[in-house]
Amino acid sequence: MSRLWNSFKIAFAMYSKIPMPQAEWKEENMRYTMCFFPLIGIVIGALMVLWSYGAFYLEAGSLLRGAGYVLIPVLVTGGIHLDGLLDTADALSSYQPRERKLEILKDSHAGAFAVITACCYFLVCLGVFSELKKEQILVLAGGYVVSRSFSALAVAAFSPAGTKGTVAAFSEASKERCVEISMYVLLVLSAGYMCFTDVKLGAAACLGAWLSFVWYYRMSKRQFGGITGDLAGAFLQICELSMAAAVYLAGKL
């Protein structure tokens, strides 16, 4: 039980801003970290639903509602996944050899393409989320578990781009069948929740998540030779935006 509790604390301390007691970062404590990573998505989804009802009660306009939806995941996670998206944008836009792209991922400085990507990403997010209704947010709330379950599954199943880094450390610690099984169970449960809430919207969101996952696998393997923490963050941001866009489009059909 102590290993599970330590893995839980490490998952929330690493991937969220939710205060957690300290845990020693050693392999036995990190072994089940990915099992608890998707639970952060439950927190985000619950807050999204609460804000949808709060905004309705306050009679907030679509722009204010959309801003709240966009900011909630950033506030909960501290922007750790968004940082990965921006680093990935800089690396992909460099058109350099693989080794140089990996170096750019590790560079703490933000390039021009990172800034452009951030502006475009937030504009698209604000536009999409401003159009979503309360019922659509209720469906999409399960998507924050789906995106993190796919991300954790990739850490357990995909090859890392190197032997160093956060993903490499978690990948080595997560080489247990129970991690993959846990992610499949969470994927089924979260996708089932979305489809149970609304079959059409839930199916559209799942399709968007799956297409993002396929893109993630092919892009990381072709461009970088494997996954890294930054690439995982980029996938998570793209996946959540893809699900939101899919839910919006499905709602128009």
Side-chain angles (χ1 to χ4, degrees):
M1 288 299 294
S2 62
R3 289 182 180 180
L4 292 176
W5 174 233
N6 285 327
S7 293
F8 175 87
K9 291 187 290 184
I10 291 174
F12 274 73
M14 178 71 186
Y15 296 110
S16 80
K17 286 296 183 180
I18 301 172
M20 280 285 131
Q22 288 189 345
E24 186 177 356
W25 284 53
K26 54 185 180 180
E27 185 173 336
E28 64 179 55
N29 288 341
M30 297 166 60
R31 185 165 298 168
Y32 304 105
T33 298
M34 288 296 104
C35 294
F36 297 105
F37 173 46
L39 300 186
I40 299 171
I42 296 178
V43 177
I44 296 174
L47 291 174
M48 295 285 280
V49 172
L50 286 174
W51 171 241
S52 71
Y53 281 94
F56 176 79
Y57 177 78
L58 295 172
E59 298 182 352
S62 60
L63 190 61
L64 180 57
R65 290 200 315 271
Y69 295 141
V70 172
L71 290 177
I72 285 172
V74 179
L75 294 175
V76 173
T77 64
I80 185 173
H81 308 299
L82 185 64
D83 176 73
L85 173 65
L86 304 189
D87 287 340
T88 301
D90 270 340
L92 290 177
S93 300
S94 69
Y95 296 100
Q96 296 294 315
R98 179 179 295 176
E99 292 73 17
R100 178 55 184 153
K101 288 178 182 175
L102 289 170
E103 291 177 3
I104 294 174
L105 286 180
K106 299 176 183 177
D107 193 341
S108 59
H109 298 89
F113 288 104
V115 176
I116 294 171
T117 298
C119 293
C120 292
Y121 183 84
F122 278 118
L123 279 174
V124 174
C125 280
L126 182 60
V128 171
F129 277 101
S130 295
E131 295 292 327
L132 296 183
K133 300 177 182 178
K134 184 171 58 176
E135 295 75 15
Q136 291 170 305
I137 293 295
L138 189 62
V139 173
L140 196 59
Y144 295 95
V145 179
V146 169
S147 61
R148 283 160 177 77
S149 297
F150 268 131
S151 183
L153 182 62
V155 170
F158 294 175
S159 299
T163 58
K164 298 181 179 180
T166 304
V167 161
F170 281 125
S171 178
E172 184 63 29
S174 300
K175 294 301 183 185
E176 294 200 18
R177 188 64 177 168
C178 67
V179 176
E180 291 188 42
I181 293 174
S182 298
M183 293 309 100
Y184 284 123
V185 171
L186 286 173
L187 278 171
V188 170
L189 290 176
S190 52
Y193 158 79
M194 291 192 292
C195 292
F196 177 78
T197 304
D198 189 295
V199 175
K200 181 177 70 173
L201 299 182
C206 291
L207 177 60
W210 171 250
L211 292 176
S212 300
F213 190 64
V214 172
W215 165 81
Y216 174 41
Y217 173 74
R218 293 182 175 178
M219 179 275 293
S220 59
K221 186 175 181 180
R222 183 175 64 252
Q223 298 288 344
F224 300 93
I227 63 173
T228 70
D230 287 317
L231 298 179
F235 158 71
L236 196 131
Q237 297 290 160
I238 295 297
C239 181
E240 291 175 355
L241 178 55
S242 297
M243 286 188 288
V247 167
Y248 167 71
L249 292 174
K252 292 296 183 179
L253 297 179

